[in-house]
Amino acid sequence: MSTTLYDQQIHRSLKKDLYEAPDYYQIDELLTEEHKLVRDSVRDWVKKEVSPIIEDFAQRSVFPKHLLNGLAEIGAFGPTIPEEYGGAGLDYISYGLIMQEIERGDSGIRSTASVQGSLVMYPIFAYGSEEQKHKYLPKLSSGELMGCFGLTEPNHGSDPSSMETNIKDKGDHYLLNGSKLWISNSPFADIAVVWAKDDLGDIRGIIVERGMSGFSTPETHNKWSLRASSTGELVFDNVKVPKENLLPNVKGLKGPLGCLNQARYGIAWGALGAAMDCYDTALRYSKERMQFDRPIGGFQLQQKKLAEMITEITKGQLLVWRLGVLKNENRATPAQISMAKRNSVETALNVSREARQMLGGMGITGDFPIMRHMMNLESVVTYEGTHDIHLLITGMDVTGLNAFK
Ligand code: TGC
Ligand code: FAD
């Protein structure tokens, strides 16, 4: 078999997943044995199951559905949900570490876990009836049922309080009308947690099941980002939803925003995983790639990039660890979560862009994970509240002045 010059260059470098997590400030010492066990088992799973296949699925723009069983087995679906409902009953640092390791593999796979755990299981757990919890949570935890979360609409993204999707009380059922756009996992989800306005204009959560008449989930194509994640719409055309599917224990925008606190927290850890992978790849490449008769890592300009990357990653790691401690004590505020989500994604985007340059031409290929991470992060910086929205949440928190109204 003949090899091209390109193949030879790849062969000389890093085609295998040789990932070694950067830990410049010995943050491992802040973790318990259980945290490390959880982290290491997810890390191993990602190396074995995600790294070898993810590039191919991303290039073909297909969601690797066969990973769902493995995600369930490593406890990625509802890590903090109590065991009596099928969750893993872990603390928030463990949850963060799971998201970090999965996103180290790919943001799209972490998306699937975030949506299932934080945006589908969490609202059922926090706002659902006992019957709803027992009916759905164990099956969601095992991956037997997959869910999605419908908040964003074609005309209302950053401002979900203006949503148009609505439910009308028809006695023994609700009639649901409207549509949701940009919904992760919608094309294959069995259930959707949908946010809609009731007759009084209050935002309510309702569980819609695949197969209900008038409910469809067209897939969104042509994404350059999160290509290994399935994204779609939710379309409701006079869907009859039984009354028992309404989440009884929450009313108002604080319902969906409460779920977003959980998911944004996970993203704050996850995005750093992507940053760590880009840094690790660029560091190794810089020691192997020779130009002007020496490794490029010996040049001051490349060292500046690496030094700045590890500095920002380390600051981010400390921020999310402290946020995890506060979250475990139920003291983390939504604004603190916004700061961490925004900071981690910005860090990851900057690291991925610098790391890509360090690989020269090789950086644009799928033989290294960097370009894929970089493109994925363009979604992560937008979903779960855009970069601007999180800045304005911080601005509002420190000034007491609301820039949204
Ligand atoms: P505002 O008037 O400030 O608040 C309305 C009510 O909500 C309460 N609240 C919160 N509650 C819990 N957690 C939070 N983070 C909360 N923020 C606000 C607030 O106290 C109030 O309660 P009450 O009792 O007084 O009614 O609301 P607003 O309309 O001015 O909006 C504020 C703003 C802009 C910050 C909010 O709308 C926002 O965060 N917008 C961004 C939308 C967003 O993040 N969408 C994400 C969609 S889901 C998604 O992207 C999933 S991607 C999944 C994946 O693949 O990983
Ligand atoms: P817009 O709200 O139209 O914003 C456009 C621009 O205007 C942004 O730069 C924004 O920062 C800026 N802007 C808006 N308001 C202000 C303001 N007040 N001040 C200053 N600037 C402002 N949603 C779900 O409900 N469920 C999902 O599962 C889900 N998955 C997603 C998956 C992907 C791949 C993507 C890309 C999105 C997903 N979303 C999901 C939607 C996501 O949450 C929205 O895209 C996001 O909230 C932004 O809304 P928008 O796209 O309508 O942008």
Side-chain angles (χ1 to χ4, degrees):
M1 199 172 74
S2 68
T3 56
T4 63
L5 293 174
Y6 171 82
D7 290 334
Q8 288 166 25
Q9 189 176 341
I10 285 292
H11 187 70
R12 276 202 310 273
S13 45
L14 339 155
K15 208 162 179 189
K16 226 178 132 214
D17 184 356
L18 301 170
Y19 177 64
E20 282 175 44
D23 182 13
Y24 201 71
Y25 263 40
Q26 285 99 46
I27 294 169
D28 254 29
E29 292 172 14
L30 301 173
L31 304 179
T32 63
E33 288 311 309
E34 183 180 50
H35 293 149
K36 285 186 258 188
L37 202 69
V38 168
R39 194 258 327 266
D40 292 349
S41 69
V42 179
R43 185 170 294 168
D44 289 348
W45 180 80
V46 168
K47 273 199 178 190
K48 196 162 148 263
E49 304 292 340
V50 180
S51 302
I53 59 104
I54 195 64
E55 183 61 33
D56 175 50
F57 278 82
Q59 292 276 1
R60 289 189 287 117
S61 196
V62 174
F63 172 64
K65 224 175 162 185
H66 69 279
L67 294 179
L68 291 176
N69 282 342
L71 281 166
E73 273 164 24
I74 59 170
F77 296 158
T80 61
I81 300 286
E83 286 170 276
E84 65 170 302
Y85 296 114
L90 295 170
D91 76 351
Y92 278 94
I93 303 258
S94 293
Y95 165 39
L97 289 164
I98 293 173
M99 296 298 126
Q100 171 190 291
E101 293 305 316
I102 297 177
E103 192 148 2
R104 202 286 291 181
D106 190 79
S107 304
I109 308 303
R110 195 269 307 134
S111 260
T112 294
S114 292
V115 169
Q116 183 85 344
S118 297
L119 299 181
V120 178
M121 293 177 71
Y122 177 80
I124 294 173
F125 172 68
Y127 314 136
S129 64
E130 259 331 289
E131 294 75 49
Q132 290 168 338
K133 290 185 211 182
H134 285 292
K135 178 174 177 191
Y136 294 110
L137 291 178
K139 287 184 179 166
L140 288 163
S141 169
S142 68
E144 191 185 329
L145 280 183
M146 291 302 296
C148 65
F149 175 88
L151 181 64
T152 306
E153 299 188 353
N155 297 326
H156 310 283
S158 296
D159 177 21
S161 74
S162 306
M163 69 174 63
E164 295 161 56
T165 298
N166 61 82
I167 46 172
K168 297 263 175 282
D169 190 335
K170 295 289 177 186
D172 64 339
H173 65 271
Y174 291 105
L175 205 57
L176 172 64
N177 276 291
S179 63
K180 301 285 177 180
L181 186 62
W182 296 118
I183 306 304
S184 300
N185 300 354
S186 87
F188 64 85
D190 304 290
I191 64 168
V193 171
V194 176
W195 300 93
K197 282 188 178 160
D198 67 11
D199 295 312
L200 300 171
D202 287 327
I203 293 174
R204 304 299 304 260
I206 193 159
I207 302 168
V208 182
E209 299 189 2
R210 185 173 294 284
M212 287 180 174
S213 177
F215 173 41
S216 58
T217 60
E219 184 153 8
T220 302
H221 297 287
N222 291 332
K223 293 181 299 170
W224 280 116
S225 174
L226 286 194
R227 288 172 65 80
S229 164
S230 180
T231 315
E233 301 171 35
L234 300 174
V235 181
F236 314 109
D237 180 10
N238 284 319
V239 184
K240 274 186 179 181
V241 187
K243 281 225 159 139
E244 67 258 25
N245 284 30
L246 191 79
L247 298 176
N249 299 325
V250 80
K251 217 184 252 190
L253 192 60
K254 63 175 177 287
L257 291 180
C259 309
L260 294 181
N261 293 335
Q262 299 294 111
R264 290 166 176 172
Y265 170 81
I267 291 176
W269 283 82
L272 287 181
M276 287 154 70
D277 198 36
C278 293
Y279 166 79
D280 178 62
T281 304
L283 177 62
R284 198 166 317 106
Y285 190 88
S286 76
K287 294 183 200 168
E288 295 188 359
R289 175 68 175 163
M290 303 291 288
Q291 287 296 287
F292 300 96
D293 294 327
R294 47 186 176 133
I296 58 166
F299 297 121
Q300 289 181 358
L301 283 176
Q302 304 309 316
Q303 289 186 3
K304 177 175 187 289
K305 288 186 200 296
L306 290 165
E308 286 175 351
M309 283 183 211
I310 191 61
T311 305
E312 291 309 312
I313 287 171
T314 304
K315 282 152 69 176
Q317 288 170 328
L318 288 165
L319 194 74
V320 295
W321 175 81
R322 175 64 187 155
L323 185 66
V325 172
L326 291 173
K327 196 102 174 78
N328 278 341
E329 295 169 359
N330 206 14
R331 290 197 293 140
T333 66
Q336 287 170 333
I337 295 169
S338 279
M339 177 187 279
K341 189 267 183 184
R342 184 172 183 277
N343 180 69
S344 291
V345 182
E346 180 171 47
T347 296
L349 264 173
N350 289 339
V351 166
S352 66
R353 288 167 182 157
E354 293 293 297
R356 204 229 41 85
Q357 288 190 53
M358 287 189 65
L359 268 68
M362 282 296 163
I364 69 148
T365 71
D367 289 294
F368 298 89
I370 297 175
M371 188 87 178
R372 177 170 43 81
H373 282 309
M374 187 173 121
M375 298 204 303
N376 284 342
L377 288 161
E378 292 293 343
S379 286
V380 184
V381 77
T382 288
Y383 67 35
E384 301 271 5
T386 68
H387 201 60
D388 299 329
I389 293 297
H390 289 297
L391 177 132
L392 295 175
I393 291 172
T394 306
M396 177 162 63
D397 197 46
V398 296
T399 64
L401 302 170
N402 188 338
F404 297 111
K405 289 176 176 157

